[in-house]
Amino acid sequence: MPSRVSKSIFCNQVGYLTSGDKRFWIQAREAQPFALHTPDGQAVFAGLTKPVGGDWYVGDFTALRVPGTYVLTVGSLEARVVVHRRAYGDVLEAMLRFFDYQLCGVALPEEDAGPWAHAPCHTSDAKVLGTERAVACPGGWHDAGDYGKYTVPAAKAVADLLLAHEYFPAALAHVRPMRSVHREPHLPPALEVAREEIAWLLTMQDPATGGVYHKVSTPSFPPLDTRPEDDTAPLIMSPISYAATATFCAAMAHAALVYRAHDPALASCCTDAAQRAYAWLSEHEMRPFRNPDGIFTGEYGDRELRDELLWASSAMLRMTGDSAWARVCEPLLDLDLAWELGWADVALYGVMEYLRAPSAAVSGDVRSKVKSRLLRELDALAAMAESHPFGIPMRDEDFIWGSNMVLLNRAMAFLLAEGVGVLHPAAHTVAQRAADYLFGANPLGQCYVTGFGQQPVRQPHHRPSVADDVDDPVPGMVAGGPNRNLQDEIARAKLAGRPAMTAYMDHQDSYSTNEVAIYWNSPAVFVVAGLLEAGGR
Ligand code: G3I
Ligand code: 9MR
Ligand code: ZN
Ligand code: CA
C-alpha cells in the first residue's frame, strides 16, 4: 500500500484539558519534528512524532501544561489548538441543551432557542393502534432526526443522563439548560433536563395493565423538510411491548432513586410506575416487538430480551434494597449476554445497578465474579484500543449505524466501572481518545458535533435543522458517524469501497451516517462530563 502524506493535522478541534493528555495525528512515511508556538511566535514545545500503525504517526504534547491558544506546526502543516482547564465546558453545555431542542409539545422561545425557536408541535392525543382510545402523551424528546418518541431508546438516554449526574455532578453544575422550557427549573442540570423525558415516559404506561407502549409516532416519517409544528399526521400508539416495559421499569426505578432527594413527588410516581411495569413483566412472555401493519417509523426491534429483564430486576434491587430481587437478577448475570450500553444490548446497565445495590442485599460471591468479568471485558476493549492507530477501542466491524455511540458507550463503560471500584489503568486514556476522535482526531478530520471545531457537522439528517431557514444546524448534536454497511441510498452511491472509519458523509440525506439521536448525545454527555470532572481537579 502506498504511503500517504498528511494534507492536514488531525487533532482535537475542541481543545485539550490543561492537565489532560494531548495528542495529534498525521499520515507520514517517517517520524517528524513538531513544534507549538504562541500566536506571537514564542516557542513553547518541541517534539517528534511516533509511528502508531499503518501510515499514522502521533505527536504527544501532554507535557505542555500552560493554558492558551497555540499554533502547532509539523513541516508545512499548521493547526490551531486550545489548552484550557475547562476546554469542554461549552461543548458539554451544548450537548446537554440538545435535549431541550428535541422537546416536543412546547414552544421553544427565542430567548432560549435563538434562531431555532419554534411553536409547539405534536400536541394532539395519540390513538392506541386499532382502537378508538385516545391517550395524551405530550412532552418528551423527539428521538432523532425524525419526530417519533420511542420508549426503548428513551430509557437509555435517560439512564445516561442520570448516571452523568450521579458520577460527575461538579462538571455538570456549570452547565445551563434552557430554563424557560422546564417545569422544574431549579434541579441539578442533568436532572432538570431528564425530568421532561421522565414525565413523558410516565404517560406511555397503560394505567390498566402497567404495560408500556413501544412508541408514539405518525404512521410514516414525514418529508425531511417538515418543521416540527407542521408534522400534523395522526399520532399512533404502537402496542405495548416487553422491551418497552422492561426498559421503562429500569429507567423509572433508577429515576425513583436519583430524584428522591430533589423531587420527592416525581420519585414516588416513578416508584409506583416501576412496580406496576415489573408486575406486567412477570405476567408476560418475552416477545420481540415488530412494527405492526401500517406503521413504518423506527422499529427498535430486539430479539434478546433477557438483558432487559436483567436491567429491570437489578434496578428494582438497587431501588428497594430488597434481596428478593437479587434472586431474579443473579442467574441472569451468569448468562452469556453482551455487557453493553446500547439501546438493544442493555446488560451493562443491569450489571452496574447490581453492583451499586446495597451490599447486604446481594451475594458477595456473585458480586466478586461480576466484577472480575467486568474487568476482563474492559481488558478486551483496552487491547483493541492499544492496537488502534487512534487509540480507540474499535475494530472495523464496529463501524455500524451509530458507530459514534458504540465508541462513546465503550469509553463510558470504563468510567462507570471506576464508580464500583473496578479501576482499569487505561480508563482515562480511552475516554480521552474517544473525545479526541469525536472532536476531529479521525481520518476524515471531522468533528462529529454540530457547531464545534474547525470542521463541524453542517448537514445533519435532522428535520428541524433542514426545515428551518437558518444556515447553521442546531448546535451540540452528535452525528451517527461512519457506517461500513452503507444503509442509505446516497451512502451506497458515494461511499462504496471506503475503509470502515471513513464511510461517513456530512450530507442531510445520509441518515445511516449523519442522523443525530438522543441516545448518541447521552453517552457523549457522560464521557465529556467525566473528562471535565477529572481535568478540573
Ligand atoms: O449489531 C449488528 C451486527 O451484529 C451486524 O453484524 C451488523 C451488520 O449489519 O449490523 C448491526 O446491526 C445494526 C444495528 O443497527 C445495530 O444497533 C443494523 O445493521 C442497523 O440496521 C441498525 O440500525 C438501527 C437503525 O435505526 C435502523 O433500524 C440503529 O441502530 C438505530 O439507531 C436507528 O434508529 C433510528 C430509528 O429507527 C428512527 N429514528 C432515528 C434513529 C437513528 O437513526
Ligand atoms: O428520516 C428517517 C430517519 O429518521 C430514520 O432513521 C431512517 C431509517 O429508519 O429513515 C429515514 O426516513 C427515510 C426513509 O426510511 C426512506 N425514505 C427517505 C426517508 C428520509 O427522508
Ligand atoms: Zn413534537
Ligand atoms: Ca436486549
Side-chain angles (χ1 to χ4, degrees):
M1 201 176 70
S3 270
R4 283 161 298 186
V5 174
S6 267
K7 291 206 184 72
S8 57
I9 296 176
F10 301 87
C11 62
N12 188 322
Q13 299 168 15
V14 177
Y16 297 89
L17 296 165
T18 311
S19 64
D21 92 51
K22 311 176 189 68
R23 290 180 172 210
F24 68 87
W25 285 257
I26 54 165
Q27 284 175 302
R29 299 194 186 91
E30 60 201 7
Q32 292 182 52
F34 68 90
L36 286 108
H37 293 86
T38 60
D40 56 10
Q42 211 187 322
V44 291
F45 195 89
L48 196 64
T49 61
K50 286 201 199 91
V52 283
D55 50 5
W56 288 101
Y57 283 73
V58 75
D60 191 319
F61 57 104
T62 303
L64 173 56
R65 289 209 165 81
V66 183
T69 301
Y70 301 103
V71 184
L72 164 64
T73 51
V74 192
S76 60
L77 303 176
E78 233 180 65
R80 203 186 58 106
V81 301
V82 173
V83 176
H84 194 276
R85 192 175 63 89
R86 289 195 46 80
Y88 308 133
D90 291 348
V91 78
L92 178 64
E93 178 164 291
M95 292 192 307
L96 189 69
R97 285 172 78 100
F98 163 63
F99 294 91
D100 290 336
Y101 280 112
Q102 293 294 96
L103 275 175
C104 182
V106 292
L108 296 186
E110 221 176 298
E111 61 175 293
D112 262 330
W116 302 281
H118 66 75
C121 53
H122 307 105
T123 48
S124 61
D125 289 354
K127 279 250 169 78
V128 176
L129 185 73
T131 75
E132 283 307 306
R133 198 140 55 86
V135 179
C137 51
W141 305 317
H142 302 137
D143 180 54
D146 64 325
Y147 297 127
K149 296 188 284 187
Y150 310 85
T151 301
V152 167
K156 169 181 167 50
V158 164
D160 291 347
L161 294 189
L162 299 186
L163 287 164
H165 163 77
E166 291 182 278
Y167 272 66
F168 311 121
L172 283 157
H174 297 270
V175 159
R176 291 157 309 155
M178 291 188 198
R179 290 269 130 87
S180 70
V181 298
H182 294 149
R183 279 167 281 192
E184 292 292 335
H186 300 292
L187 297 172
L191 300 190
E192 183 179 320
V193 169
R195 194 189 186 288
E196 301 298 328
E197 188 74 342
I198 293 167
W200 164 74
L201 275 168
L202 289 167
T203 71
M204 294 298 282
Q205 183 169 42
D206 172 26
T209 63
V212 179
Y213 295 106
H214 195 73
K215 59 174 167 175
V216 55
S217 71
T218 53
S220 315
F221 296 118
L224 193 57
D225 59 356
T226 308
R227 294 168 191 257
E229 61 273 35
D230 298 335
D231 183 31
T232 52
L235 294 174
I236 313 287
M237 280 283 190
S238 280
I240 289 170
S241 75
Y242 192 94
T245 307
T247 52
F248 169 95
C249 173
M252 290 305 113
H254 190 176
L257 196 89
V258 172
Y259 284 86
R260 228 173 249 169
H262 302 279
D263 188 340
L266 180 74
S268 105
C269 292
C270 293
T271 306
D272 288 355
Q275 265 151 355
R276 280 182 291 126
Y278 200 90
W280 186 97
L281 293 176
S282 45
E283 287 156 11
H284 290 80
E285 280 173 42
M286 287 179 179
R287 223 177 272 127
F289 176 84
R290 298 302 313 270
N291 258 343
D293 285 350
I295 301 289
F296 305 100
T297 48
E299 182 167 73
Y300 291 111
D302 177 11
R303 283 187 299 267
E304 176 57 86
L305 296 168
R306 293 172 302 174
D307 53 324
E308 279 72 14
L309 178 60
L310 168 61
W311 187 16
S313 54
S314 58
M316 294 299 279
L317 167 69
R318 179 168 171 235
M319 178 184 85
T320 60
D322 178 348
S323 62
W325 296 104
R327 289 192 283 277
V328 184
C329 47
E330 281 166 356
L332 298 166
L333 288 164
D334 240 6
L335 301 174
D336 186 25
L337 296 166
W339 283 16
E340 289 174 21
L341 303 166
W343 59 259
D345 293 321
V346 300
L348 189 51
Y349 289 106
V351 167
M352 289 308 307
E353 291 289 68
Y354 180 82
L355 291 176
R356 297 172 79 211
S359 57
V362 306
S363 140
D365 189 38
V366 175
R367 195 193 185 87
S368 61
K369 273 200 238 154
V370 167
K371 283 189 175 186
S372 357
R373 173 166 168 197
L374 180 54
L375 190 60
R376 287 200 306 279
E377 301 269 344
L378 298 180
D379 274 337
L381 293 175
M384 280 180 211
E386 192 67 36
S387 62
H388 195 287
F390 286 88
I392 54 175
M394 297 284 279
R395 299 156 304 182
D396 276 0
E397 60 266 41
D398 298 320
F399 290 89
I400 57 174
W401 193 317
S403 62
N404 283 335
M405 176 196 78
V406 176
L407 170 61
L408 292 162
N409 283 351
R410 289 177 179 180
M412 181 169 166
F414 281 89
L415 301 181
L416 281 177
E418 291 201 321
V420 291
V422 176
L423 310 177
H424 196 285
H428 287 255
T429 318
V430 168
Q432 182 63 56
R433 291 290 88 83
D436 291 346
Y437 172 94
L438 189 73
F439 297 151
N442 56 64
L444 297 172
Q446 178 70 54
C447 177
Y448 286 110
V449 185
T450 55
F452 287 82
Q454 286 101 39
Q455 192 182 315
V457 171
R458 293 184 204 278
Q459 304 292 334
H461 186 87
H462 180 243
R463 283 178 173 73
S465 296
V466 171
D468 63 17
D469 32 51
V470 187
D471 271 350
D472 290 331
V474 164
M477 305 195 289
V478 173
N483 173 8
R484 74 206 286 251
N485 296 320
L486 309 180
Q487 288 170 291
D488 63 64
E489 211 178 303
I490 189 159
R492 277 189 290 275
K494 301 277 163 97
L495 299 176
R498 290 243 209 139
M501 247 198 301
T502 63
Y504 165 82
M505 60 197 304
D506 184 9
H507 193 292
Q508 64 185 35
D509 293 339
S510 184
Y511 50 83
S512 78
T513 76
N514 208 32
E515 190 162 357
V516 301
I518 53 173
Y519 53 96
W520 299 340
N521 261 66
S522 59
V525 165
F526 183 93
V527 171
V528 171
L531 287 170
L532 259 182
E533 184 124 340
R537 276 188 208 129

PDB file of all heavy atoms in Angstrom, residues 112-134:
ATOM      1  N   ASP A 112     -34.354  31.395  24.634  1.00  0.00           N
ATOM      2  CA  ASP A 112     -33.563  30.211  24.939  1.00  0.00           C
ATOM      3  C   ASP A 112     -33.055  29.495  23.694  1.00  0.00           C
ATOM      4  O   ASP A 112     -31.945  28.967  23.697  1.00  0.00           O
ATOM      5  CB  ASP A 112     -34.394  29.217  25.761  1.00  0.00           C
ATOM      6  CG  ASP A 112     -34.113  29.329  27.254  1.00  0.00           C
ATOM      7  OD1 ASP A 112     -32.983  29.688  27.608  1.00  0.00           O
ATOM      8  OD2 ASP A 112     -35.028  29.056  28.034  1.00  0.00           O
ATOM      9  N   ALA A 113     -33.866  29.457  22.656  1.00  0.00           N
ATOM     10  CA  ALA A 113     -33.516  28.630  21.484  1.00  0.00           C
ATOM     11  C   ALA A 113     -32.935  29.458  20.350  1.00  0.00           C
ATOM     12  O   ALA A 113     -32.550  28.906  19.306  1.00  0.00           O
ATOM     13  CB  ALA A 113     -34.733  27.850  21.007  1.00  0.00           C
ATOM     14  N   GLY A 114     -32.847  30.768  20.528  1.00  0.00           N
ATOM     15  CA  GLY A 114     -32.263  31.620  19.498  1.00  0.00           C
ATOM     16  C   GLY A 114     -32.995  31.439  18.175  1.00  0.00           C
ATOM     17  O   GLY A 114     -34.224  31.315  18.146  1.00  0.00           O
ATOM     18  N   PRO A 115     -32.243  31.392  17.056  1.00  0.00           N
ATOM     19  CA  PRO A 115     -32.880  31.308  15.740  1.00  0.00           C
ATOM     20  C   PRO A 115     -33.607  29.984  15.512  1.00  0.00           C
ATOM     21  O   PRO A 115     -34.373  29.852  14.559  1.00  0.00           O
ATOM     22  CB  PRO A 115     -31.699  31.429  14.771  1.00  0.00           C
ATOM     23  CG  PRO A 115     -30.492  31.032  15.562  1.00  0.00           C
ATOM     24  CD  PRO A 115     -30.781  31.439  16.971  1.00  0.00           C
ATOM     25  N   TRP A 116     -33.393  29.001  16.383  1.00  0.00           N
ATOM     26  CA  TRP A 116     -34.044  27.685  16.216  1.00  0.00           C
ATOM     27  C   TRP A 116     -35.330  27.580  17.031  1.00  0.00           C
ATOM     28  O   TRP A 116     -35.822  26.482  17.291  1.00  0.00           O
ATOM     29  CB  TRP A 116     -33.065  26.564  16.581  1.00  0.00           C
ATOM     30  CG  TRP A 116     -31.815  26.605  15.746  1.00  0.00           C
ATOM     31  CD1 TRP A 116     -31.694  26.150  14.463  1.00  0.00           C
ATOM     32  CD2 TRP A 116     -30.530  27.139  16.117  1.00  0.00           C
ATOM     33  NE1 TRP A 116     -30.407  26.374  14.010  1.00  0.00           N
ATOM     34  CE2 TRP A 116     -29.674  26.970  14.999  1.00  0.00           C
ATOM     35  CE3 TRP A 116     -30.016  27.735  17.261  1.00  0.00           C
ATOM     36  CZ2 TRP A 116     -28.330  27.388  15.007  1.00  0.00           C
ATOM     37  CZ3 TRP A 116     -28.692  28.149  17.281  1.00  0.00           C
ATOM     38  CH2 TRP A 116     -27.867  27.977  16.166  1.00  0.00           C
ATOM     39  N   ALA A 117     -35.860  28.736  17.446  1.00  0.00           N
ATOM     40  CA  ALA A 117     -37.136  28.759  18.175  1.00  0.00           C
ATOM     41  C   ALA A 117     -38.235  28.183  17.284  1.00  0.00           C
ATOM     42  O   ALA A 117     -38.172  28.283  16.067  1.00  0.00           O
ATOM     43  CB  ALA A 117     -37.469  30.202  18.553  1.00  0.00           C
ATOM     44  N   HIS A 118     -39.226  27.536  17.894  1.00  0.00           N
ATOM     45  CA  HIS A 118     -40.401  27.133  17.103  1.00  0.00           C
ATOM     46  C   HIS A 118     -41.630  26.987  17.984  1.00  0.00           C
ATOM     47  O   HIS A 118     -41.544  26.952  19.211  1.00  0.00           O
ATOM     48  CB  HIS A 118     -40.136  25.871  16.269  1.00  0.00           C
ATOM     49  CG  HIS A 118     -39.914  24.617  17.057  1.00  0.00           C
ATOM     50  ND1 HIS A 118     -40.935  23.927  17.675  1.00  0.00           N
ATOM     51  CD2 HIS A 118     -38.778  23.912  17.321  1.00  0.00           C
ATOM     52  CE1 HIS A 118     -40.440  22.850  18.273  1.00  0.00           C
ATOM     53  NE2 HIS A 118     -39.128  22.826  18.087  1.00  0.00           N
ATOM     54  N   ALA A 119     -42.793  26.918  17.311  1.00  0.00           N
ATOM     55  CA  ALA A 119     -44.070  26.802  18.011  1.00  0.00           C
ATOM     56  C   ALA A 119     -44.241  25.368  18.536  1.00  0.00           C
ATOM     57  O   ALA A 119     -43.510  24.472  18.120  1.00  0.00           O
ATOM     58  CB  ALA A 119     -45.195  27.153  17.028  1.00  0.00           C
ATOM     59  N   PRO A 120     -45.230  25.167  19.431  1.00  0.00           N
ATOM     60  CA  PRO A 120     -45.442  23.802  19.960  1.00  0.00           C
ATOM     61  C   PRO A 120     -45.796  22.814  18.837  1.00  0.00           C
ATOM     62  O   PRO A 120     -46.428  23.186  17.846  1.00  0.00           O
ATOM     63  CB  PRO A 120     -46.640  23.954  20.904  1.00  0.00           C
ATOM     64  CG  PRO A 120     -46.786  25.404  21.163  1.00  0.00           C
ATOM     65  CD  PRO A 120     -46.165  26.139  20.021  1.00  0.00           C
ATOM     66  N   CYS A 121     -45.360  21.578  18.976  1.00  0.00           N
ATOM     67  CA  CYS A 121     -45.598  20.546  17.960  1.00  0.00           C
ATOM     68  C   CYS A 121     -46.278  19.331  18.588  1.00  0.00           C
ATOM     69  O   CYS A 121     -46.224  19.155  19.801  1.00  0.00           O
ATOM     70  CB  CYS A 121     -44.267  20.117  17.351  1.00  0.00           C
ATOM     71  SG  CYS A 121     -43.034  19.633  18.590  1.00  0.00           S
ATOM     72  N   HIS A 122     -46.890  18.516  17.749  1.00  0.00           N
ATOM     73  CA  HIS A 122     -47.430  17.207  18.178  1.00  0.00           C
ATOM     74  C   HIS A 122     -48.244  17.320  19.466  1.00  0.00           C
ATOM     75  O   HIS A 122     -48.003  16.600  20.433  1.00  0.00           O
ATOM     76  CB  HIS A 122     -46.288  16.201  18.348  1.00  0.00           C
ATOM     77  CG  HIS A 122     -45.406  16.108  17.128  1.00  0.00           C
ATOM     78  ND1 HIS A 122     -44.148  16.650  17.053  1.00  0.00           N
ATOM     79  CD2 HIS A 122     -45.640  15.554  15.919  1.00  0.00           C
ATOM     80  CE1 HIS A 122     -43.629  16.444  15.850  1.00  0.00           C
ATOM     81  NE2 HIS A 122     -44.520  15.786  15.140  1.00  0.00           N
ATOM     82  N   THR A 123     -49.227  18.220  19.431  1.00  0.00           N
ATOM     83  CA  THR A 123     -49.979  18.493  20.655  1.00  0.00           C
ATOM     84  C   THR A 123     -51.262  17.655  20.759  1.00  0.00           C
ATOM     85  O   THR A 123     -51.906  17.651  21.807  1.00  0.00           O
ATOM     86  CB  THR A 123     -50.352  19.982  20.733  1.00  0.00           C
ATOM     87  OG1 THR A 123     -50.896  20.351  19.469  1.00  0.00           O
ATOM     88  CG2 THR A 123     -49.136  20.837  21.034  1.00  0.00           C
ATOM     89  N   SER A 124     -51.627  16.958  19.677  1.00  0.00           N
ATOM     90  CA  SER A 124     -52.880  16.192  19.770  1.00  0.00           C
ATOM     91  C   SER A 124     -52.665  14.883  20.531  1.00  0.00           C
ATOM     92  O   SER A 124     -51.539  14.432  20.704  1.00  0.00           O
ATOM     93  CB  SER A 124     -53.418  15.900  18.365  1.00  0.00           C
ATOM     94  OG  SER A 124     -52.476  15.144  17.656  1.00  0.00           O
ATOM     95  N   ASP A 125     -53.768  14.276  20.979  1.00  0.00           N
ATOM     96  CA  ASP A 125     -53.676  12.969  21.648  1.00  0.00           C
ATOM     97  C   ASP A 125     -53.288  11.903  20.630  1.00  0.00           C
ATOM     98  O   ASP A 125     -53.480  12.076  19.428  1.00  0.00           O
ATOM     99  CB  ASP A 125     -55.045  12.593  22.246  1.00  0.00           C
ATOM    100  CG  ASP A 125     -55.376  13.463  23.453  1.00  0.00           C
ATOM    101  OD1 ASP A 125     -54.501  14.255  23.875  1.00  0.00           O
ATOM    102  OD2 ASP A 125     -56.513  13.356  23.947  1.00  0.00           O
ATOM    103  N   ALA A 126     -52.782  10.794  21.118  1.00  0.00           N
ATOM    104  CA  ALA A 126     -52.480   9.664  20.236  1.00  0.00           C
ATOM    105  C   ALA A 126     -53.604   8.642  20.344  1.00  0.00           C
ATOM    106  O   ALA A 126     -54.213   8.490  21.408  1.00  0.00           O
ATOM    107  CB  ALA A 126     -51.167   9.031  20.660  1.00  0.00           C
ATOM    108  N   LYS A 127     -53.867   7.937  19.235  1.00  0.00           N
ATOM    109  CA  LYS A 127     -54.853   6.838  19.269  1.00  0.00           C
ATOM    110  C   LYS A 127     -54.114   5.532  19.467  1.00  0.00           C
ATOM    111  O   LYS A 127     -53.118   5.261  18.783  1.00  0.00           O
ATOM    112  CB  LYS A 127     -55.577   6.758  17.914  1.00  0.00           C
ATOM    113  CG  LYS A 127     -56.678   7.754  17.755  1.00  0.00           C
ATOM    114  CD  LYS A 127     -58.059   7.063  17.763  1.00  0.00           C
ATOM    115  CE  LYS A 127     -59.146   8.099  17.862  1.00  0.00           C
ATOM    116  NZ  LYS A 127     -59.384   8.755  16.553  1.00  0.00           N
ATOM    117  N   VAL A 128     -54.581   4.715  20.385  1.00  0.00           N
ATOM    118  CA  VAL A 128     -53.992   3.386  20.543  1.00  0.00           C
ATOM    119  C   VAL A 128     -54.326   2.590  19.285  1.00  0.00           C
ATOM    120  O   VAL A 128     -55.494   2.500  18.889  1.00  0.00           O
ATOM    121  CB  VAL A 128     -54.544   2.678  21.795  1.00  0.00           C
ATOM    122  CG1 VAL A 128     -53.997   1.261  21.898  1.00  0.00           C
ATOM    123  CG2 VAL A 128     -54.207   3.490  23.041  1.00  0.00           C
ATOM    124  N   LEU A 129     -53.328   2.054  18.648  1.00  0.00           N
ATOM    125  CA  LEU A 129     -53.489   1.385  17.350  1.00  0.00           C
ATOM    126  C   LEU A 129     -54.632   0.372  17.391  1.00  0.00           C
ATOM    127  O   LEU A 129     -54.700  -0.461  18.302  1.00  0.00           O
ATOM    128  CB  LEU A 129     -52.178   0.680  16.963  1.00  0.00           C
ATOM    129  CG  LEU A 129     -52.172   0.046  15.567  1.00  0.00           C
ATOM    130  CD1 LEU A 129     -52.096   1.120  14.491  1.00  0.00           C
ATOM    131  CD2 LEU A 129     -51.007  -0.926  15.417  1.00  0.00           C
ATOM    132  N   GLY A 130     -55.504   0.480  16.397  1.00  0.00           N
ATOM    133  CA  GLY A 130     -56.589  -0.496  16.272  1.00  0.00           C
ATOM    134  C   GLY A 130     -57.769  -0.233  17.201  1.00  0.00           C
ATOM    135  O   GLY A 130     -58.696  -1.035  17.256  1.00  0.00           O
ATOM    136  N   THR A 131     -57.725   0.883  17.950  1.00  0.00           N
ATOM    137  CA  THR A 131     -58.863   1.191  18.843  1.00  0.00           C
ATOM    138  C   THR A 131     -59.270   2.646  18.620  1.00  0.00           C
ATOM    139  O   THR A 131     -58.621   3.368  17.847  1.00  0.00           O
ATOM    140  CB  THR A 131     -58.475   1.071  20.346  1.00  0.00           C
ATOM    141  OG1 THR A 131     -57.677   2.202  20.699  1.00  0.00           O
ATOM    142  CG2 THR A 131     -57.719  -0.219  20.623  1.00  0.00           C
ATOM    143  N   GLU A 132     -60.278   3.071  19.334  1.00  0.00           N
ATOM    144  CA  GLU A 132     -60.660   4.485  19.272  1.00  0.00           C
ATOM    145  C   GLU A 132     -60.151   5.214  20.520  1.00  0.00           C
ATOM    146  O   GLU A 132     -60.504   6.371  20.762  1.00  0.00           O
ATOM    147  CB  GLU A 132     -62.181   4.618  19.163  1.00  0.00           C
ATOM    148  CG  GLU A 132     -62.717   4.319  17.753  1.00  0.00           C
ATOM    149  CD  GLU A 132     -61.999   5.150  16.675  1.00  0.00           C
ATOM    150  OE1 GLU A 132     -61.949   6.391  16.788  1.00  0.00           O
ATOM    151  OE2 GLU A 132     -61.450   4.547  15.720  1.00  0.00           O
ATOM    152  N   ARG A 133     -59.357   4.517  21.316  1.00  0.00           N
ATOM    153  CA  ARG A 133     -58.908   5.084  22.586  1.00  0.00           C
ATOM    154  C   ARG A 133     -57.844   6.162  22.376  1.00  0.00           C
ATOM    155  O   ARG A 133     -56.857   5.917  21.679  1.00  0.00           O
ATOM    156  CB  ARG A 133     -58.362   3.981  23.486  1.00  0.00           C
ATOM    157  CG  ARG A 133     -58.272   4.370  24.946  1.00  0.00           C
ATOM    158  CD  ARG A 133     -58.685   3.214  25.857  1.00  0.00           C
ATOM    159  NE  ARG A 133     -57.882   2.026  25.539  1.00  0.00           N
ATOM    160  CZ  ARG A 133     -56.689   1.788  26.063  1.00  0.00           C
ATOM    161  NH1 ARG A 133     -56.159   2.659  26.903  1.00  0.00           N
ATOM    162  NH2 ARG A 133     -56.044   0.685  25.752  1.00  0.00           N
ATOM    163  N   ALA A 134     -58.064   7.313  22.999  1.00  0.00           N
ATOM    164  CA  ALA A 134     -57.109   8.419  22.880  1.00  0.00           C
ATOM    165  C   ALA A 134     -56.259   8.500  24.143  1.00  0.00           C
ATOM    166  O   ALA A 134     -56.758   8.340  25.253  1.00  0.00           O
ATOM    167  CB  ALA A 134     -57.853   9.734  22.676  1.00  0.00           C
TER     168      ALA A 134
END
